[in-house]
Amino acid sequence: MRLDLFLKWSRVILRRTLAKETCDAGRVTVNGQEARAGREVQVGDTISVRLPRRQLTFRVRAIPLHAPGKEGARDMLELLGSEIVET
């Protein structure tokens, strides 16, 4: 599954275009390497996303075949850390 689609389906970022822009701006890493929107995501990958006021780090737990509901979105990832980033 594409990284931008994973970020949308897991509800980390609410719109796919915003997820793509965030990736293309260099604010997303997968397993410690900067990642573009089209990068394929696998179960077990560690993703870090720098949002405007915080940084989220999580591990991919599942990749569903179709877009999940709110409860299913929570099962897609395991939160490893969340920290407030001062600008």
Side-chain angles (χ1 to χ4, degrees), residues 10 20 33 38 49 81:
S10 64
K20 182 180 182 324
Q33 296 181 336
V49 181

Side-chain angles (χ1 to χ4, degrees), residues 10-24:
S10 64
R11 298 181 184 214
V12 171
I13 298 177
L14 298 180
R15 293 189 328 265
R16 187 169 178 186
T17 55
L18 185 56
K20 182 180 182 324
E21 291 169 3
T22 302
C23 292
D24 291 344

Side-chain angles (χ1 to χ4, degrees), residues 12-54:
V12 171
I13 298 177
L14 298 180
R15 293 189 328 265
R16 187 169 178 186
T17 55
L18 185 56
K20 182 180 182 324
E21 291 169 3
T22 302
C23 292
D24 291 344
R27 297 194 308 251
V28 180
T29 61
V30 176
N31 299 326
Q33 296 181 336
E34 191 174 299
R36 295 289 176 219
R39 166 137 183 198
E40 288 296 314
V41 176
Q42 307 285 332
V43 173
D45 284 349
T46 301
I47 300 173
S48 183
V49 181
R50 282 192 328 259
L51 299 171
R53 292 184 183 89
R54 64 184 169 157

Side-chain angles (χ1 to χ4, degrees), residues 51-63:
L51 299 171
R53 292 184 183 89
R54 64 184 169 157
Q55 179 160 342
L56 296 174
T57 303
F58 52 89
R59 181 173 295 119
V60 178
R61 287 179 45 189
I63 298 176

